[in-house]
Amino acid sequence: MDEAIAEQIEYYRARAGEYDEWWVRRGRYALPPELERQWFHDVAQAETALRDFAPTGRVLELACGTGLWTRHLVGHAQHVTAVDASPEVIEYNRERLAGARLNIEYIVADLFGWQPPPAAYDVVMFTYWLSHVPDDRLAEFWSGVRSALKPGGRVFVIDSAAGGVPADDRAAWPRLRRPAGARSSASWPTAANSWC
């Protein structure tokens, strides 16, 4: 594991207990009212996009974090495999989903070293993760995603728009690293995309 990846993992391990506070914009993470309204609007838009996408079947969630998005998957999926490099966030995820109607398989693993089983998943999903993938590992990452998908499988991505792209600036989408040949639909400024 290279130094940058090790630092990234340590950062999120150390931050596990405060991540949800950041997500709901409380305490030191509070935003001015207008920015907070925009943040929660964007979150609602991404949640709606995920609901409409309906991630059914076997779902692989990469960089699952504390379960903020895993909780939405259990309403659709028949099985969820949730992977994260931080055992601390996995524990928060387990607590959040303790009453889920289906079993969730948790895997603590560095996403750059872990290989998903081939052709095992109907959907691969990751949120706010693509921006963490170093450029020199991007092709390898997408190759792993493709390998994990069953034929006809789908990918759902939520990530921050590059550089605060205005809602009507669709031309900026390629900066968000869409794989060559992918079909997409975007919700801005948060990008919620599915590639088939």
mmCIF file with all atom_site columns, all heavy atoms in Angstrom, residues 55-82:
data_model
loop_
_atom_site.group_PDB
_atom_site.id
_atom_site.type_symbol
_atom_site.label_atom_id
_atom_site.label_alt_id
_atom_site.label_comp_id
_atom_site.label_asym_id
_atom_site.label_entity_id
_atom_site.label_seq_id
_atom_site.pdbx_PDB_ins_code
_atom_site.Cartn_x
_atom_site.Cartn_y
_atom_site.Cartn_z
_atom_site.occupancy
_atom_site.B_iso_or_equiv
_atom_site.pdbx_formal_charge
_atom_site.auth_seq_id
_atom_site.auth_comp_id
_atom_site.auth_asym_id
_atom_site.auth_atom_id
_atom_site.pdbx_PDB_model_num
ATOM 1   N N   . PRO A 1 55 ? -31.708 -0.315  -6.612 1.00 0.00 ? 55 PRO A N   1
ATOM 2   C CA  . PRO A 1 55 ? -30.608 -1.276  -6.658 1.00 0.00 ? 55 PRO A CA  1
ATOM 3   C C   . PRO A 1 55 ? -31.010 -2.655  -6.127 1.00 0.00 ? 55 PRO A C   1
ATOM 4   O O   . PRO A 1 55 ? -30.830 -2.972  -4.957 1.00 0.00 ? 55 PRO A O   1
ATOM 5   C CB  . PRO A 1 55 ? -29.538 -0.628  -5.780 1.00 0.00 ? 55 PRO A CB  1
ATOM 6   C CG  . PRO A 1 55 ? -30.320 0.216   -4.822 1.00 0.00 ? 55 PRO A CG  1
ATOM 7   C CD  . PRO A 1 55 ? -31.525 0.688   -5.570 1.00 0.00 ? 55 PRO A CD  1
ATOM 8   N N   . THR A 1 56 ? -31.567 -3.474  -7.000 1.00 0.00 ? 56 THR A N   1
ATOM 9   C CA  . THR A 1 56 ? -32.073 -4.787  -6.603 1.00 0.00 ? 56 THR A CA  1
ATOM 10  C C   . THR A 1 56 ? -31.018 -5.866  -6.794 1.00 0.00 ? 56 THR A C   1
ATOM 11  O O   . THR A 1 56 ? -29.982 -5.644  -7.403 1.00 0.00 ? 56 THR A O   1
ATOM 12  C CB  . THR A 1 56 ? -33.321 -5.150  -7.423 1.00 0.00 ? 56 THR A CB  1
ATOM 13  O OG1 . THR A 1 56 ? -32.976 -5.121  -8.813 1.00 0.00 ? 56 THR A OG1 1
ATOM 14  C CG2 . THR A 1 56 ? -34.459 -4.177  -7.153 1.00 0.00 ? 56 THR A CG2 1
ATOM 15  N N   . GLY A 1 57 ? -31.325 -7.042  -6.271 1.00 0.00 ? 57 GLY A N   1
ATOM 16  C CA  . GLY A 1 57 ? -30.432 -8.186  -6.411 1.00 0.00 ? 57 GLY A CA  1
ATOM 17  C C   . GLY A 1 57 ? -29.295 -8.141  -5.418 1.00 0.00 ? 57 GLY A C   1
ATOM 18  O O   . GLY A 1 57 ? -29.440 -7.678  -4.286 1.00 0.00 ? 57 GLY A O   1
ATOM 19  N N   . ARG A 1 58 ? -28.135 -8.610  -5.853 1.00 0.00 ? 58 ARG A N   1
ATOM 20  C CA  . ARG A 1 58 ? -26.924 -8.607  -5.021 1.00 0.00 ? 58 ARG A CA  1
ATOM 21  C C   . ARG A 1 58 ? -26.198 -7.298  -5.270 1.00 0.00 ? 58 ARG A C   1
ATOM 22  O O   . ARG A 1 58 ? -25.839 -6.990  -6.403 1.00 0.00 ? 58 ARG A O   1
ATOM 23  C CB  . ARG A 1 58 ? -26.037 -9.795  -5.352 1.00 0.00 ? 58 ARG A CB  1
ATOM 24  C CG  . ARG A 1 58 ? -26.673 -11.140 -4.978 1.00 0.00 ? 58 ARG A CG  1
ATOM 25  C CD  . ARG A 1 58 ? -25.754 -12.307 -5.278 1.00 0.00 ? 58 ARG A CD  1
ATOM 26  N NE  . ARG A 1 58 ? -24.447 -12.171 -4.653 1.00 0.00 ? 58 ARG A NE  1
ATOM 27  C CZ  . ARG A 1 58 ? -24.157 -12.467 -3.383 1.00 0.00 ? 58 ARG A CZ  1
ATOM 28  N NH1 . ARG A 1 58 ? -25.105 -12.895 -2.582 1.00 0.00 ? 58 ARG A NH1 1
ATOM 29  N NH2 . ARG A 1 58 ? -22.938 -12.324 -2.919 1.00 0.00 ? 58 ARG A NH2 1
ATOM 30  N N   . VAL A 1 59 ? -25.977 -6.529  -4.199 1.00 0.00 ? 59 VAL A N   1
ATOM 31  C CA  . VAL A 1 59 ? -25.379 -5.200  -4.308 1.00 0.00 ? 59 VAL A CA  1
ATOM 32  C C   . VAL A 1 59 ? -24.053 -5.168  -3.558 1.00 0.00 ? 59 VAL A C   1
ATOM 33  O O   . VAL A 1 59 ? -23.971 -5.614  -2.410 1.00 0.00 ? 59 VAL A O   1
ATOM 34  C CB  . VAL A 1 59 ? -26.326 -4.116  -3.743 1.00 0.00 ? 59 VAL A CB  1
ATOM 35  C CG1 . VAL A 1 59 ? -25.679 -2.748  -3.789 1.00 0.00 ? 59 VAL A CG1 1
ATOM 36  C CG2 . VAL A 1 59 ? -27.644 -4.108  -4.518 1.00 0.00 ? 59 VAL A CG2 1
ATOM 37  N N   . LEU A 1 60 ? -23.046 -4.627  -4.222 1.00 0.00 ? 60 LEU A N   1
ATOM 38  C CA  . LEU A 1 60 ? -21.736 -4.397  -3.615 1.00 0.00 ? 60 LEU A CA  1
ATOM 39  C C   . LEU A 1 60 ? -21.596 -2.902  -3.379 1.00 0.00 ? 60 LEU A C   1
ATOM 40  O O   . LEU A 1 60 ? -21.663 -2.113  -4.324 1.00 0.00 ? 60 LEU A O   1
ATOM 41  C CB  . LEU A 1 60 ? -20.626 -4.884  -4.547 1.00 0.00 ? 60 LEU A CB  1
ATOM 42  C CG  . LEU A 1 60 ? -19.182 -4.551  -4.144 1.00 0.00 ? 60 LEU A CG  1
ATOM 43  C CD1 . LEU A 1 60 ? -18.832 -5.173  -2.787 1.00 0.00 ? 60 LEU A CD1 1
ATOM 44  C CD2 . LEU A 1 60 ? -18.212 -5.019  -5.233 1.00 0.00 ? 60 LEU A CD2 1
ATOM 45  N N   . GLU A 1 61 ? -21.448 -2.520  -2.116 1.00 0.00 ? 61 GLU A N   1
ATOM 46  C CA  . GLU A 1 61 ? -21.230 -1.112  -1.782 1.00 0.00 ? 61 GLU A CA  1
ATOM 47  C C   . GLU A 1 61 ? -19.769 -0.935  -1.383 1.00 0.00 ? 61 GLU A C   1
ATOM 48  O O   . GLU A 1 61 ? -19.324 -1.462  -0.372 1.00 0.00 ? 61 GLU A O   1
ATOM 49  C CB  . GLU A 1 61 ? -22.141 -0.656  -0.652 1.00 0.00 ? 61 GLU A CB  1
ATOM 50  C CG  . GLU A 1 61 ? -21.983 0.821   -0.364 1.00 0.00 ? 61 GLU A CG  1
ATOM 51  C CD  . GLU A 1 61 ? -22.788 1.329   0.816  1.00 0.00 ? 61 GLU A CD  1
ATOM 52  O OE1 . GLU A 1 61 ? -23.285 0.510   1.623  1.00 0.00 ? 61 GLU A OE1 1
ATOM 53  O OE2 . GLU A 1 61 ? -22.901 2.560   0.934  1.00 0.00 ? 61 GLU A OE2 1
ATOM 54  N N   . LEU A 1 62 ? -19.045 -0.193  -2.187 1.00 0.00 ? 62 LEU A N   1
ATOM 55  C CA  . LEU A 1 62 ? -17.636 0.089   -1.928 1.00 0.00 ? 62 LEU A CA  1
ATOM 56  C C   . LEU A 1 62 ? -17.510 1.364   -1.109 1.00 0.00 ? 62 LEU A C   1
ATOM 57  O O   . LEU A 1 62 ? -18.246 2.324   -1.340 1.00 0.00 ? 62 LEU A O   1
ATOM 58  C CB  . LEU A 1 62 ? -16.882 0.224   -3.253 1.00 0.00 ? 62 LEU A CB  1
ATOM 59  C CG  . LEU A 1 62 ? -16.922 -1.007  -4.156 1.00 0.00 ? 62 LEU A CG  1
ATOM 60  C CD1 . LEU A 1 62 ? -16.266 -0.705  -5.492 1.00 0.00 ? 62 LEU A CD1 1
ATOM 61  C CD2 . LEU A 1 62 ? -16.261 -2.200  -3.481 1.00 0.00 ? 62 LEU A CD2 1
ATOM 62  N N   . ALA A 1 63 ? -16.586 1.390   -0.164 1.00 0.00 ? 63 ALA A N   1
ATOM 63  C CA  . ALA A 1 63 ? -16.395 2.535   0.731  1.00 0.00 ? 63 ALA A CA  1
ATOM 64  C C   . ALA A 1 63 ? -17.720 2.870   1.425  1.00 0.00 ? 63 ALA A C   1
ATOM 65  O O   . ALA A 1 63 ? -18.201 3.989   1.394  1.00 0.00 ? 63 ALA A O   1
ATOM 66  C CB  . ALA A 1 63 ? -15.824 3.734   -0.022 1.00 0.00 ? 63 ALA A CB  1
ATOM 67  N N   . CYS A 1 64 ? -18.288 1.870   2.083  1.00 0.00 ? 64 CYS A N   1
ATOM 68  C CA  . CYS A 1 64 ? -19.641 1.972   2.649  1.00 0.00 ? 64 CYS A CA  1
ATOM 69  C C   . CYS A 1 64 ? -19.764 2.953   3.797  1.00 0.00 ? 64 CYS A C   1
ATOM 70  O O   . CYS A 1 64 ? -20.866 3.400   4.113  1.00 0.00 ? 64 CYS A O   1
ATOM 71  C CB  . CYS A 1 64 ? -20.122 0.603   3.084  1.00 0.00 ? 64 CYS A CB  1
ATOM 72  S SG  . CYS A 1 64 ? -19.171 -0.115  4.456  1.00 0.00 ? 64 CYS A SG  1
ATOM 73  N N   . GLY A 1 65 ? -18.668 3.288   4.453  1.00 0.00 ? 65 GLY A N   1
ATOM 74  C CA  . GLY A 1 65 ? -18.728 4.259   5.536  1.00 0.00 ? 65 GLY A CA  1
ATOM 75  C C   . GLY A 1 65 ? -19.652 3.836   6.655  1.00 0.00 ? 65 GLY A C   1
ATOM 76  O O   . GLY A 1 65 ? -19.834 2.650   6.938  1.00 0.00 ? 65 GLY A O   1
ATOM 77  N N   . THR A 1 66 ? -20.272 4.816   7.280  1.00 0.00 ? 66 THR A N   1
ATOM 78  C CA  . THR A 1 66 ? -21.070 4.588   8.490  1.00 0.00 ? 66 THR A CA  1
ATOM 79  C C   . THR A 1 66 ? -22.488 4.080   8.216  1.00 0.00 ? 66 THR A C   1
ATOM 80  O O   . THR A 1 66 ? -23.267 3.932   9.138  1.00 0.00 ? 66 THR A O   1
ATOM 81  C CB  . THR A 1 66 ? -21.161 5.884   9.319  1.00 0.00 ? 66 THR A CB  1
ATOM 82  O OG1 . THR A 1 66 ? -21.827 6.878   8.551  1.00 0.00 ? 66 THR A OG1 1
ATOM 83  C CG2 . THR A 1 66 ? -19.779 6.365   9.745  1.00 0.00 ? 66 THR A CG2 1
ATOM 84  N N   . GLY A 1 67 ? -22.813 3.847   6.956  1.00 0.00 ? 67 GLY A N   1
ATOM 85  C CA  . GLY A 1 67 ? -24.122 3.286   6.629  1.00 0.00 ? 67 GLY A CA  1
ATOM 86  C C   . GLY A 1 67 ? -25.145 4.295   6.167  1.00 0.00 ? 67 GLY A C   1
ATOM 87  O O   . GLY A 1 67 ? -26.322 3.964   5.997  1.00 0.00 ? 67 GLY A O   1
ATOM 88  N N   . LEU A 1 68 ? -24.724 5.525   5.950  1.00 0.00 ? 68 LEU A N   1
ATOM 89  C CA  . LEU A 1 68 ? -25.660 6.556   5.502  1.00 0.00 ? 68 LEU A CA  1
ATOM 90  C C   . LEU A 1 68 ? -26.334 6.183   4.186  1.00 0.00 ? 68 LEU A C   1
ATOM 91  O O   . LEU A 1 68 ? -27.491 6.543   3.955  1.00 0.00 ? 68 LEU A O   1
ATOM 92  C CB  . LEU A 1 68 ? -24.946 7.897   5.371  1.00 0.00 ? 68 LEU A CB  1
ATOM 93  C CG  . LEU A 1 68 ? -24.493 8.506   6.689  1.00 0.00 ? 68 LEU A CG  1
ATOM 94  C CD1 . LEU A 1 68 ? -23.471 9.612   6.458  1.00 0.00 ? 68 LEU A CD1 1
ATOM 95  C CD2 . LEU A 1 68 ? -25.694 9.026   7.474  1.00 0.00 ? 68 LEU A CD2 1
ATOM 96  N N   . TRP A 1 69 ? -25.622 5.463   3.327  1.00 0.00 ? 69 TRP A N   1
ATOM 97  C CA  . TRP A 1 69 ? -26.202 5.017   2.057  1.00 0.00 ? 69 TRP A CA  1
ATOM 98  C C   . TRP A 1 69 ? -26.589 3.545   2.119  1.00 0.00 ? 69 TRP A C   1
ATOM 99  O O   . TRP A 1 69 ? -27.539 3.135   1.447  1.00 0.00 ? 69 TRP A O   1
ATOM 100 C CB  . TRP A 1 69 ? -25.245 5.314   0.898  1.00 0.00 ? 69 TRP A CB  1
ATOM 101 C CG  . TRP A 1 69 ? -25.124 6.794   0.738  1.00 0.00 ? 69 TRP A CG  1
ATOM 102 C CD1 . TRP A 1 69 ? -24.127 7.592   1.243  1.00 0.00 ? 69 TRP A CD1 1
ATOM 103 C CD2 . TRP A 1 69 ? -26.062 7.662   0.120  1.00 0.00 ? 69 TRP A CD2 1
ATOM 104 N NE1 . TRP A 1 69 ? -24.399 8.915   0.954  1.00 0.00 ? 69 TRP A NE1 1
ATOM 105 C CE2 . TRP A 1 69 ? -25.576 8.979   0.263  1.00 0.00 ? 69 TRP A CE2 1
ATOM 106 C CE3 . TRP A 1 69 ? -27.260 7.466   -0.548 1.00 0.00 ? 69 TRP A CE3 1
ATOM 107 C CZ2 . TRP A 1 69 ? -26.253 10.088  -0.235 1.00 0.00 ? 69 TRP A CZ2 1
ATOM 108 C CZ3 . TRP A 1 69 ? -27.929 8.568   -1.054 1.00 0.00 ? 69 TRP A CZ3 1
ATOM 109 C CH2 . TRP A 1 69 ? -27.431 9.853   -0.888 1.00 0.00 ? 69 TRP A CH2 1
ATOM 110 N N   . THR A 1 70 ? -25.922 2.758   2.934  1.00 0.00 ? 70 THR A N   1
ATOM 111 C CA  . THR A 1 70 ? -26.277 1.347   3.081  1.00 0.00 ? 70 THR A CA  1
ATOM 112 C C   . THR A 1 70 ? -27.726 1.227   3.518  1.00 0.00 ? 70 THR A C   1
ATOM 113 O O   . THR A 1 70 ? -28.449 0.344   3.051  1.00 0.00 ? 70 THR A O   1
ATOM 114 C CB  . THR A 1 70 ? -25.359 0.664   4.128  1.00 0.00 ? 70 THR A CB  1
ATOM 115 O OG1 . THR A 1 70 ? -24.006 1.028   3.887  1.00 0.00 ? 70 THR A OG1 1
ATOM 116 C CG2 . THR A 1 70 ? -25.519 -0.841  4.097  1.00 0.00 ? 70 THR A CG2 1
ATOM 117 N N   . ARG A 1 71 ? -28.176 2.104   4.375  1.00 0.00 ? 71 ARG A N   1
ATOM 118 C CA  . ARG A 1 71 ? -29.563 2.054   4.876  1.00 0.00 ? 71 ARG A CA  1
ATOM 119 C C   . ARG A 1 71 ? -30.573 2.180   3.746  1.00 0.00 ? 71 ARG A C   1
ATOM 120 O O   . ARG A 1 71 ? -31.685 1.661   3.839  1.00 0.00 ? 71 ARG A O   1
ATOM 121 C CB  . ARG A 1 71 ? -29.788 3.126   5.939  1.00 0.00 ? 71 ARG A CB  1
ATOM 122 C CG  . ARG A 1 71 ? -29.684 4.526   5.404  1.00 0.00 ? 71 ARG A CG  1
ATOM 123 C CD  . ARG A 1 71 ? -29.769 5.586   6.472  1.00 0.00 ? 71 ARG A CD  1
ATOM 124 N NE  . ARG A 1 71 ? -29.482 6.889   5.884  1.00 0.00 ? 71 ARG A NE  1
ATOM 125 C CZ  . ARG A 1 71 ? -29.696 8.011   6.491  1.00 0.00 ? 71 ARG A CZ  1
ATOM 126 N NH1 . ARG A 1 71 ? -30.193 8.027   7.707  1.00 0.00 ? 71 ARG A NH1 1
ATOM 127 N NH2 . ARG A 1 71 ? -29.405 9.140   5.893  1.00 0.00 ? 71 ARG A NH2 1
ATOM 128 N N   . HIS A 1 72 ? -30.209 2.849   2.660  1.00 0.00 ? 72 HIS A N   1
ATOM 129 C CA  . HIS A 1 72 ? -31.108 2.966   1.510  1.00 0.00 ? 72 HIS A CA  1
ATOM 130 C C   . HIS A 1 72 ? -31.084 1.698   0.656  1.00 0.00 ? 72 HIS A C   1
ATOM 131 O O   . HIS A 1 72 ? -32.076 1.366   0.014  1.00 0.00 ? 72 HIS A O   1
ATOM 132 C CB  . HIS A 1 72 ? -30.726 4.163   0.648  1.00 0.00 ? 72 HIS A CB  1
ATOM 133 C CG  . HIS A 1 72 ? -30.901 5.468   1.357  1.00 0.00 ? 72 HIS A CG  1
ATOM 134 N ND1 . HIS A 1 72 ? -32.134 6.026   1.609  1.00 0.00 ? 72 HIS A ND1 1
ATOM 135 C CD2 . HIS A 1 72 ? -29.991 6.326   1.867  1.00 0.00 ? 72 HIS A CD2 1
ATOM 136 C CE1 . HIS A 1 72 ? -31.981 7.169   2.252  1.00 0.00 ? 72 HIS A CE1 1
ATOM 137 N NE2 . HIS A 1 72 ? -30.680 7.375   2.423  1.00 0.00 ? 72 HIS A NE2 1
ATOM 138 N N   . LEU A 1 73 ? -29.968 1.004   0.656  1.00 0.00 ? 73 LEU A N   1
ATOM 139 C CA  . LEU A 1 73 ? -29.843 -0.200  -0.167 1.00 0.00 ? 73 LEU A CA  1
ATOM 140 C C   . LEU A 1 73 ? -30.716 -1.333  0.351  1.00 0.00 ? 73 LEU A C   1
ATOM 141 O O   . LEU A 1 73 ? -31.271 -2.096  -0.431 1.00 0.00 ? 73 LEU A O   1
ATOM 142 C CB  . LEU A 1 73 ? -28.387 -0.657  -0.204 1.00 0.00 ? 73 LEU A CB  1
ATOM 143 C CG  . LEU A 1 73 ? -27.404 0.290   -0.876 1.00 0.00 ? 73 LEU A CG  1
ATOM 144 C CD1 . LEU A 1 73 ? -25.988 -0.250  -0.759 1.00 0.00 ? 73 LEU A CD1 1
ATOM 145 C CD2 . LEU A 1 73 ? -27.780 0.525   -2.322 1.00 0.00 ? 73 LEU A CD2 1
ATOM 146 N N   . VAL A 1 74 ? -30.837 -1.460  1.660  1.00 0.00 ? 74 VAL A N   1
ATOM 147 C CA  . VAL A 1 74 ? -31.554 -2.601  2.221  1.00 0.00 ? 74 VAL A CA  1
ATOM 148 C C   . VAL A 1 74 ? -33.033 -2.592  1.869  1.00 0.00 ? 74 VAL A C   1
ATOM 149 O O   . VAL A 1 74 ? -33.683 -3.631  1.946  1.00 0.00 ? 74 VAL A O   1
ATOM 150 C CB  . VAL A 1 74 ? -31.343 -2.731  3.748  1.00 0.00 ? 74 VAL A CB  1
ATOM 151 C CG1 . VAL A 1 74 ? -29.876 -2.949  4.072  1.00 0.00 ? 74 VAL A CG1 1
ATOM 152 C CG2 . VAL A 1 74 ? -31.894 -1.531  4.498  1.00 0.00 ? 74 VAL A CG2 1
ATOM 153 N N   . GLY A 1 75 ? -33.571 -1.464  1.448  1.00 0.00 ? 75 GLY A N   1
ATOM 154 C CA  . GLY A 1 75 ? -34.961 -1.412  1.016  1.00 0.00 ? 75 GLY A CA  1
ATOM 155 C C   . GLY A 1 75 ? -35.187 -1.983  -0.367 1.00 0.00 ? 75 GLY A C   1
ATOM 156 O O   . GLY A 1 75 ? -36.328 -2.216  -0.773 1.00 0.00 ? 75 GLY A O   1
ATOM 157 N N   . HIS A 1 76 ? -34.116 -2.234  -1.105 1.00 0.00 ? 76 HIS A N   1
ATOM 158 C CA  . HIS A 1 76 ? -34.221 -2.727  -2.478 1.00 0.00 ? 76 HIS A CA  1
ATOM 159 C C   . HIS A 1 76 ? -33.517 -4.062  -2.681 1.00 0.00 ? 76 HIS A C   1
ATOM 160 O O   . HIS A 1 76 ? -34.019 -4.935  -3.371 1.00 0.00 ? 76 HIS A O   1
ATOM 161 C CB  . HIS A 1 76 ? -33.589 -1.719  -3.457 1.00 0.00 ? 76 HIS A CB  1
ATOM 162 C CG  . HIS A 1 76 ? -34.244 -0.397  -3.456 1.00 0.00 ? 76 HIS A CG  1
ATOM 163 N ND1 . HIS A 1 76 ? -35.387 -0.121  -4.162 1.00 0.00 ? 76 HIS A ND1 1
ATOM 164 C CD2 . HIS A 1 76 ? -33.921 0.764   -2.819 1.00 0.00 ? 76 HIS A CD2 1
ATOM 165 C CE1 . HIS A 1 76 ? -35.748 1.134   -3.976 1.00 0.00 ? 76 HIS A CE1 1
ATOM 166 N NE2 . HIS A 1 76 ? -34.860 1.691   -3.158 1.00 0.00 ? 76 HIS A NE2 1
ATOM 167 N N   . ALA A 1 77 ? -32.331 -4.192  -2.141 1.00 0.00 ? 77 ALA A N   1
ATOM 168 C CA  . ALA A 1 77 ? -31.446 -5.323  -2.430 1.00 0.00 ? 77 ALA A CA  1
ATOM 169 C C   . ALA A 1 77 ? -31.910 -6.603  -1.741 1.00 0.00 ? 77 ALA A C   1
ATOM 170 O O   . ALA A 1 77 ? -32.558 -6.563  -0.698 1.00 0.00 ? 77 ALA A O   1
ATOM 171 C CB  . ALA A 1 77 ? -30.028 -4.992  -1.988 1.00 0.00 ? 77 ALA A CB  1
ATOM 172 N N   . GLN A 1 78 ? -31.525 -7.727  -2.338 1.00 0.00 ? 78 GLN A N   1
ATOM 173 C CA  . GLN A 1 78 ? -31.729 -9.012  -1.686 1.00 0.00 ? 78 GLN A CA  1
ATOM 174 C C   . GLN A 1 78 ? -30.525 -9.357  -0.810 1.00 0.00 ? 78 GLN A C   1
ATOM 175 O O   . GLN A 1 78 ? -30.647 -10.103 0.153  1.00 0.00 ? 78 GLN A O   1
ATOM 176 C CB  . GLN A 1 78 ? -31.933 -10.119 -2.727 1.00 0.00 ? 78 GLN A CB  1
ATOM 177 C CG  . GLN A 1 78 ? -33.335 -10.110 -3.338 1.00 0.00 ? 78 GLN A CG  1
ATOM 178 C CD  . GLN A 1 78 ? -33.582 -8.912  -4.248 1.00 0.00 ? 78 GLN A CD  1
ATOM 179 O OE1 . GLN A 1 78 ? -32.795 -8.624  -5.139 1.00 0.00 ? 78 GLN A OE1 1
ATOM 180 N NE2 . GLN A 1 78 ? -34.678 -8.214  -4.020 1.00 0.00 ? 78 GLN A NE2 1
ATOM 181 N N   . HIS A 1 79 ? -29.366 -8.793  -1.140 1.00 0.00 ? 79 HIS A N   1
ATOM 182 C CA  . HIS A 1 79 ? -28.145 -9.017  -0.369 1.00 0.00 ? 79 HIS A CA  1
ATOM 183 C C   . HIS A 1 79 ? -27.232 -7.814  -0.582 1.00 0.00 ? 79 HIS A C   1
ATOM 184 O O   . HIS A 1 79 ? -27.145 -7.294  -1.696 1.00 0.00 ? 79 HIS A O   1
ATOM 185 C CB  . HIS A 1 79 ? -27.431 -10.284 -0.846 1.00 0.00 ? 79 HIS A CB  1
ATOM 186 C CG  . HIS A 1 79 ? -26.156 -10.550 -0.110 1.00 0.00 ? 79 HIS A CG  1
ATOM 187 N ND1 . HIS A 1 79 ? -24.937 -10.048 -0.524 1.00 0.00 ? 79 HIS A ND1 1
ATOM 188 C CD2 . HIS A 1 79 ? -25.904 -11.243 1.021  1.00 0.00 ? 79 HIS A CD2 1
ATOM 189 C CE1 . HIS A 1 79 ? -24.001 -10.432 0.317  1.00 0.00 ? 79 HIS A CE1 1
ATOM 190 N NE2 . HIS A 1 79 ? -24.551 -11.158 1.266  1.00 0.00 ? 79 HIS A NE2 1
ATOM 191 N N   . VAL A 1 80 ? -26.573 -7.370  0.497  1.00 0.00 ? 80 VAL A N   1
ATOM 192 C CA  . VAL A 1 80 ? -25.623 -6.262  0.396  1.00 0.00 ? 80 VAL A CA  1
ATOM 193 C C   . VAL A 1 80 ? -24.280 -6.728  0.952  1.00 0.00 ? 80 VAL A C   1
ATOM 194 O O   . VAL A 1 80 ? -24.216 -7.297  2.046  1.00 0.00 ? 80 VAL A O   1
ATOM 195 C CB  . VAL A 1 80 ? -26.092 -5.014  1.179  1.00 0.00 ? 80 VAL A CB  1
ATOM 196 C CG1 . VAL A 1 80 ? -25.009 -3.935  1.197  1.00 0.00 ? 80 VAL A CG1 1
ATOM 197 C CG2 . VAL A 1 80 ? -27.387 -4.467  0.598  1.00 0.00 ? 80 VAL A CG2 1
ATOM 198 N N   . THR A 1 81 ? -23.231 -6.487  0.179  1.00 0.00 ? 81 THR A N   1
ATOM 199 C CA  . THR A 1 81 ? -21.865 -6.653  0.666  1.00 0.00 ? 81 THR A CA  1
ATOM 200 C C   . THR A 1 81 ? -21.308 -5.250  0.822  1.00 0.00 ? 81 THR A C   1
ATOM 201 O O   . THR A 1 81 ? -21.224 -4.500  -0.156 1.00 0.00 ? 81 THR A O   1
ATOM 202 C CB  . THR A 1 81 ? -20.998 -7.460  -0.330 1.00 0.00 ? 81 THR A CB  1
ATOM 203 O OG1 . THR A 1 81 ? -21.589 -8.747  -0.507 1.00 0.00 ? 81 THR A OG1 1
ATOM 204 C CG2 . THR A 1 81 ? -19.576 -7.612  0.200  1.00 0.00 ? 81 THR A CG2 1
ATOM 205 N N   . ALA A 1 82 ? -20.983 -4.863  2.043  1.00 0.00 ? 82 ALA A N   1
ATOM 206 C CA  . ALA A 1 82 ? -20.508 -3.519  2.361  1.00 0.00 ? 82 ALA A CA  1
ATOM 207 C C   . ALA A 1 82 ? -19.022 -3.587  2.712  1.00 0.00 ? 82 ALA A C   1
ATOM 208 O O   . ALA A 1 82 ? -18.643 -4.278  3.659  1.00 0.00 ? 82 ALA A O   1
ATOM 209 C CB  . ALA A 1 82 ? -21.315 -2.941  3.522  1.00 0.00 ? 82 ALA A CB  1
#
